[in-house]
Amino acid sequence: MTIKSFGVVGAGQMGGGIAQVAACSGFDVVLFDLNEAALERGVGVIAGSLARMVKKEKLSQSEADQALSRIKQTTAMSDMSVVDIVVEAASEDEEIKKTIFRNLDEICKPGAILATNTSSISITRLAAVTSRPGQVIGMHFMNPVPMMQLVEVIRALQTEDAVFDAVNQLSLDMNKVPVDVNDAPGFVSNRILMPMINEAVFCRYENIATAEEIDTVMKLGMSHPMGPLALADLIGLDTCLSIMQVLYDNFKDSKYRPCPLLVQMVDAGYLGRKSGRGFYQYD
């Protein structure tokens, strides 16, 4: 299976990052979002990221310009009919993702791979709503996508070996390190990471220490490059809550119960960097 063209559904933080890395790797990219304003914001973030890479001499100006020129913006999902693979990077909501996969199944050409960047939802259930379950797979990129090397390549129960091999090679072609992971709630990354973040939120909830002090303990004591609460703000507290709810609902184990403070902050709209306020304040 040869992949030459690349589609991304969702021009937010993750979708934009995936589109940027694909374009920098030489792929023609179709970037879809529901409205023009979201697309413009997403491409603006990509342009800013590329400019920073030029400034740091990680790319030439010519390479950055070429990458940006490879990204086609669209509000018509039907434009995904030409791509060899499409990666869904919409909100972490199973029903939204199932609707997208049903639509892509009708739109995409025979043989096209349908991938999802979900950070916790069952790939097997997403595959089951399509007529091509063997061609559905997970590509879980890490945030920020241009900087982080890892991609969890997640097989649904139905995923064909040829599809896995193609996506594994695609990840290498994008200068990422693919890790073979089977379908399970939270996969490997978030099954380990999110309970740690949730426990850090409990430490704040119980007033054991301030956010800064909790993060300092983990940075200086555990050599983490970023504290768990700052990381939660970067990921988005709504996304963290969604993942914890997936873990709790699937495992029925109280150790995955979302911290009440995390629930309250999401209810208040304190979502982290993207809203300007989370455990820290942002400009």
mmCIF file of all heavy atoms in Angstrom, residues 198-199 201-206 237 241 244 254 256-268 279:
data_model
loop_
_atom_site.group_PDB
_atom_site.id
_atom_site.type_symbol
_atom_site.label_atom_id
_atom_site.label_comp_id
_atom_site.label_asym_id
_atom_site.label_seq_id
_atom_site.Cartn_x
_atom_site.Cartn_y
_atom_site.Cartn_z
ATOM 1 N N ASN A 198 -4.340 13.017 36.983
ATOM 2 C CA ASN A 198 -5.513 13.044 37.854
ATOM 3 C C ASN A 198 -5.102 13.042 39.330
ATOM 4 O O ASN A 198 -5.697 13.738 40.160
ATOM 5 C CB ASN A 198 -6.403 11.835 37.544
ATOM 6 C CG ASN A 198 -7.796 11.953 38.127
ATOM 7 O OD1 ASN A 198 -8.485 12.938 37.898
ATOM 8 N ND2 ASN A 198 -8.217 10.933 38.860
ATOM 9 N N GLU A 199 -4.061 12.288 39.660
ATOM 10 C CA GLU A 199 -3.576 12.250 41.045
ATOM 11 C C GLU A 199 -2.956 13.586 41.439
ATOM 12 O O GLU A 199 -3.104 14.039 42.589
ATOM 13 C CB GLU A 199 -2.571 11.111 41.225
ATOM 14 C CG GLU A 199 -2.393 10.642 42.655
ATOM 15 C CD GLU A 199 -3.679 10.102 43.275
ATOM 16 O OE1 GLU A 199 -4.474 9.459 42.558
ATOM 17 O OE2 GLU A 199 -3.880 10.336 44.486
ATOM 18 N N VAL A 201 -3.995 16.423 40.269
ATOM 19 C CA VAL A 201 -5.157 17.283 40.508
ATOM 20 C C VAL A 201 -5.737 17.011 41.897
ATOM 21 O O VAL A 201 -6.132 17.936 42.614
ATOM 22 C CB VAL A 201 -6.229 17.082 39.414
ATOM 23 C CG1 VAL A 201 -7.428 17.990 39.670
ATOM 24 C CG2 VAL A 201 -5.656 17.363 38.020
ATOM 25 N N PHE A 202 -5.756 15.743 42.313
ATOM 26 C CA PHE A 202 -6.213 15.425 43.675
ATOM 27 C C PHE A 202 -5.319 16.089 44.725
ATOM 28 O O PHE A 202 -5.809 16.578 45.751
ATOM 29 C CB PHE A 202 -6.231 13.906 43.895
ATOM 30 C CG PHE A 202 -7.555 13.258 43.622
ATOM 31 C CD1 PHE A 202 -7.718 12.394 42.538
ATOM 32 C CD2 PHE A 202 -8.647 13.490 44.450
ATOM 33 C CE1 PHE A 202 -8.936 11.786 42.297
ATOM 34 C CE2 PHE A 202 -9.869 12.883 44.202
ATOM 35 C CZ PHE A 202 -10.024 12.028 43.128
ATOM 36 N N CYS A 203 -3.998 16.111 44.473
ATOM 37 C CA CYS A 203 -3.089 16.785 45.411
ATOM 38 C C CYS A 203 -3.439 18.266 45.530
ATOM 39 O O CYS A 203 -3.381 18.842 46.628
ATOM 40 C CB CYS A 203 -1.644 16.616 44.956
ATOM 41 S SG CYS A 203 -0.969 14.963 45.196
ATOM 42 N N ARG A 204 -3.808 18.881 44.414
ATOM 43 C CA ARG A 204 -4.209 20.293 44.462
ATOM 44 C C ARG A 204 -5.577 20.420 45.135
ATOM 45 O O ARG A 204 -5.788 21.322 45.953
ATOM 46 C CB ARG A 204 -4.266 20.865 43.029
ATOM 47 C CG ARG A 204 -4.615 22.340 42.984
ATOM 48 C CD ARG A 204 -3.457 23.191 43.490
ATOM 49 N NE ARG A 204 -3.887 24.519 43.910
ATOM 50 C CZ ARG A 204 -4.129 24.867 45.175
ATOM 51 N NH1 ARG A 204 -4.008 23.990 46.173
ATOM 52 N NH2 ARG A 204 -4.504 26.091 45.466
ATOM 53 N N TYR A 205 -6.501 19.532 44.806
ATOM 54 C CA TYR A 205 -7.860 19.531 45.367
ATOM 55 C C TYR A 205 -7.823 19.418 46.894
ATOM 56 O O TYR A 205 -8.589 20.080 47.611
ATOM 57 C CB TYR A 205 -8.629 18.369 44.749
ATOM 58 C CG TYR A 205 -10.038 18.156 45.226
ATOM 59 C CD1 TYR A 205 -11.002 19.161 45.116
ATOM 60 C CD2 TYR A 205 -10.421 16.914 45.742
ATOM 61 C CE1 TYR A 205 -12.314 18.943 45.529
ATOM 62 C CE2 TYR A 205 -11.729 16.692 46.149
ATOM 63 C CZ TYR A 205 -12.667 17.707 46.049
ATOM 64 O OH TYR A 205 -13.972 17.480 46.444
ATOM 65 N N GLU A 206 -6.920 18.584 47.397
ATOM 66 C CA GLU A 206 -6.791 18.382 48.838
ATOM 67 C C GLU A 206 -5.869 19.409 49.493
ATOM 68 O O GLU A 206 -5.561 19.303 50.681
ATOM 69 C CB GLU A 206 -6.293 16.959 49.099
ATOM 70 C CG GLU A 206 -7.284 15.888 48.642
ATOM 71 C CD GLU A 206 -6.697 14.487 48.617
ATOM 72 O OE1 GLU A 206 -5.568 14.308 49.140
ATOM 73 O OE2 GLU A 206 -7.347 13.575 48.075
ATOM 74 N N LEU A 237 -7.856 20.642 29.741
ATOM 75 C CA LEU A 237 -8.468 19.932 30.862
ATOM 76 C C LEU A 237 -9.711 19.172 30.437
ATOM 77 O O LEU A 237 -10.046 18.134 31.018
ATOM 78 C CB LEU A 237 -8.791 20.906 31.997
ATOM 79 C CG LEU A 237 -7.603 21.692 32.576
ATOM 80 C CD1 LEU A 237 -8.016 22.418 33.848
ATOM 81 C CD2 LEU A 237 -6.407 20.801 32.848
ATOM 82 N N LEU A 241 -10.241 15.221 31.124
ATOM 83 C CA LEU A 241 -11.453 14.696 31.757
ATOM 84 C C LEU A 241 -12.097 13.629 30.877
ATOM 85 O O LEU A 241 -12.530 12.577 31.381
ATOM 86 C CB LEU A 241 -12.435 15.838 32.034
ATOM 87 C CG LEU A 241 -13.779 15.434 32.633
ATOM 88 C CD1 LEU A 241 -13.604 14.694 33.949
ATOM 89 C CD2 LEU A 241 -14.669 16.665 32.825
ATOM 90 N N MET A 244 -10.124 10.405 31.239
ATOM 91 C CA MET A 244 -10.371 9.774 32.540
ATOM 92 C C MET A 244 -11.752 9.130 32.581
ATOM 93 O O MET A 244 -11.926 8.041 33.145
ATOM 94 C CB MET A 244 -10.232 10.799 33.664
ATOM 95 C CG MET A 244 -8.805 11.222 33.978
ATOM 96 S SD MET A 244 -7.667 9.842 34.329
ATOM 97 C CE MET A 244 -8.474 9.027 35.713
ATOM 98 N N SER A 254 -12.372 2.313 40.683
ATOM 99 C CA SER A 254 -12.403 3.637 41.309
ATOM 100 C C SER A 254 -11.086 4.393 41.189
ATOM 101 O O SER A 254 -11.060 5.617 41.337
ATOM 102 C CB SER A 254 -12.785 3.509 42.787
ATOM 103 O OG SER A 254 -11.833 2.729 43.489
ATOM 104 N N TYR A 256 -9.660 5.144 38.642
ATOM 105 C CA TYR A 256 -9.757 6.013 37.473
ATOM 106 C C TYR A 256 -10.831 7.098 37.633
ATOM 107 O O TYR A 256 -11.153 7.794 36.670
ATOM 108 C CB TYR A 256 -10.056 5.184 36.218
ATOM 109 C CG TYR A 256 -8.975 4.186 35.873
ATOM 110 C CD1 TYR A 256 -9.210 2.815 35.946
ATOM 111 C CD2 TYR A 256 -7.703 4.606 35.484
ATOM 112 C CE1 TYR A 256 -8.220 1.887 35.632
ATOM 113 C CE2 TYR A 256 -6.705 3.698 35.174
ATOM 114 C CZ TYR A 256 -6.969 2.342 35.254
ATOM 115 O OH TYR A 256 -5.976 1.443 34.950
ATOM 116 N N ARG A 257 -11.379 7.248 38.839
ATOM 117 C CA ARG A 257 -12.421 8.260 39.050
ATOM 118 C C ARG A 257 -11.854 9.653 38.838
ATOM 119 O O ARG A 257 -10.860 10.033 39.478
ATOM 120 C CB ARG A 257 -12.974 8.148 40.471
ATOM 121 C CG ARG A 257 -14.008 9.210 40.826
ATOM 122 C CD ARG A 257 -14.596 8.933 42.202
ATOM 123 N NE ARG A 257 -13.605 9.144 43.254
ATOM 124 C CZ ARG A 257 -13.475 10.275 43.957
ATOM 125 N NH1 ARG A 257 -14.269 11.303 43.704
ATOM 126 N NH2 ARG A 257 -12.574 10.370 44.910
ATOM 127 N N PRO A 258 -12.428 10.473 37.948
ATOM 128 C CA PRO A 258 -11.907 11.831 37.747
ATOM 129 C C PRO A 258 -12.006 12.647 39.027
ATOM 130 O O PRO A 258 -13.015 12.585 39.739
ATOM 131 C CB PRO A 258 -12.815 12.408 36.653
ATOM 132 C CG PRO A 258 -13.402 11.217 35.963
ATOM 133 C CD PRO A 258 -13.542 10.169 37.026
ATOM 134 N N CYS A 259 -10.972 13.412 39.309
ATOM 135 C CA CYS A 259 -10.975 14.274 40.490
ATOM 136 C C CYS A 259 -12.106 15.300 40.378
ATOM 137 O O CYS A 259 -12.300 15.899 39.314
ATOM 138 C CB CYS A 259 -9.637 14.988 40.621
ATOM 139 S SG CYS A 259 -9.554 16.138 42.002
ATOM 140 N N PRO A 260 -12.868 15.537 41.455
ATOM 141 C CA PRO A 260 -13.942 16.532 41.397
ATOM 142 C C PRO A 260 -13.457 17.917 40.965
ATOM 143 O O PRO A 260 -14.200 18.644 40.293
ATOM 144 C CB PRO A 260 -14.481 16.551 42.834
ATOM 145 C CG PRO A 260 -14.185 15.188 43.360
ATOM 146 C CD PRO A 260 -12.865 14.805 42.734
ATOM 147 N N LEU A 261 -12.228 18.280 41.315
ATOM 148 C CA LEU A 261 -11.708 19.586 40.903
ATOM 149 C C LEU A 261 -11.557 19.653 39.384
ATOM 150 O O LEU A 261 -11.845 20.690 38.770
ATOM 151 C CB LEU A 261 -10.363 19.864 41.577
ATOM 152 C CG LEU A 261 -9.664 21.175 41.184
ATOM 153 C CD1 LEU A 261 -10.551 22.388 41.482
ATOM 154 C CD2 LEU A 261 -8.317 21.296 41.889
ATOM 155 N N LEU A 262 -11.121 18.573 38.774
ATOM 156 C CA LEU A 262 -10.998 18.538 37.311
ATOM 157 C C LEU A 262 -12.367 18.731 36.671
ATOM 158 O O LEU A 262 -12.509 19.500 35.706
ATOM 159 C CB LEU A 262 -10.378 17.210 36.873
ATOM 160 C CG LEU A 262 -10.155 17.005 35.375
ATOM 161 C CD1 LEU A 262 -9.225 18.059 34.810
ATOM 162 C CD2 LEU A 262 -9.603 15.594 35.109
ATOM 163 N N VAL A 263 -13.386 18.080 37.207
ATOM 164 C CA VAL A 263 -14.747 18.224 36.690
ATOM 165 C C VAL A 263 -15.220 19.666 36.841
ATOM 166 O O VAL A 263 -15.780 20.262 35.901
ATOM 167 C CB VAL A 263 -15.704 17.265 37.419
ATOM 168 C CG1 VAL A 263 -17.146 17.479 36.942
ATOM 169 C CG2 VAL A 263 -15.290 15.813 37.205
ATOM 170 N N GLN A 264 -14.978 20.252 38.011
ATOM 171 C CA GLN A 264 -15.414 21.634 38.268
ATOM 172 C C GLN A 264 -14.743 22.615 37.319
ATOM 173 O O GLN A 264 -15.384 23.538 36.799
ATOM 174 C CB GLN A 264 -15.098 22.021 39.709
ATOM 175 C CG GLN A 264 -16.051 21.454 40.743
ATOM 176 C CD GLN A 264 -15.697 21.940 42.131
ATOM 177 O OE1 GLN A 264 -14.528 22.056 42.490
ATOM 178 N NE2 GLN A 264 -16.709 22.228 42.925
ATOM 179 N N MET A 265 -13.445 22.442 37.097
ATOM 180 C CA MET A 265 -12.721 23.377 36.243
ATOM 181 C C MET A 265 -13.225 23.320 34.808
ATOM 182 O O MET A 265 -13.366 24.351 34.144
ATOM 183 C CB MET A 265 -11.216 23.117 36.329
ATOM 184 C CG MET A 265 -10.640 23.457 37.700
ATOM 185 S SD MET A 265 -8.870 23.166 37.840
ATOM 186 C CE MET A 265 -8.209 24.532 36.860
ATOM 187 N N VAL A 266 -13.524 22.120 34.336
ATOM 188 C CA VAL A 266 -14.080 21.993 32.980
ATOM 189 C C VAL A 266 -15.464 22.625 32.927
ATOM 190 O O VAL A 266 -15.799 23.346 31.975
ATOM 191 C CB VAL A 266 -14.115 20.514 32.549
ATOM 192 C CG1 VAL A 266 -14.873 20.348 31.227
ATOM 193 C CG2 VAL A 266 -12.691 19.969 32.405
ATOM 194 N N ASP A 267 -16.279 22.393 33.959
ATOM 195 C CA ASP A 267 -17.609 23.002 34.007
ATOM 196 C C ASP A 267 -17.522 24.531 33.986
ATOM 197 O O ASP A 267 -18.381 25.215 33.404
ATOM 198 C CB ASP A 267 -18.353 22.565 35.274
ATOM 199 C CG ASP A 267 -18.828 21.126 35.209
ATOM 200 O OD1 ASP A 267 -18.851 20.556 34.096
ATOM 201 O OD2 ASP A 267 -19.172 20.567 36.276
ATOM 202 N N ALA A 268 -16.460 25.079 34.602
ATOM 203 C CA ALA A 268 -16.279 26.535 34.665
ATOM 204 C C ALA A 268 -15.677 27.109 33.388
ATOM 205 O O ALA A 268 -15.599 28.331 33.227
ATOM 206 C CB ALA A 268 -15.393 26.897 35.857
ATOM 207 N N PHE A 279 -4.834 25.536 35.525
ATOM 208 C CA PHE A 279 -4.122 25.599 36.793
ATOM 209 C C PHE A 279 -3.201 26.818 36.861
ATOM 210 O O PHE A 279 -2.768 27.217 37.930
ATOM 211 C CB PHE A 279 -3.339 24.297 37.022
ATOM 212 C CG PHE A 279 -4.240 23.138 37.303
ATOM 213 C CD1 PHE A 279 -4.541 22.212 36.299
ATOM 214 C CD2 PHE A 279 -4.834 22.959 38.538
ATOM 215 C CE1 PHE A 279 -5.402 21.159 36.537
ATOM 216 C CE2 PHE A 279 -5.689 21.914 38.791
ATOM 217 C CZ PHE A 279 -5.979 20.996 37.783
#
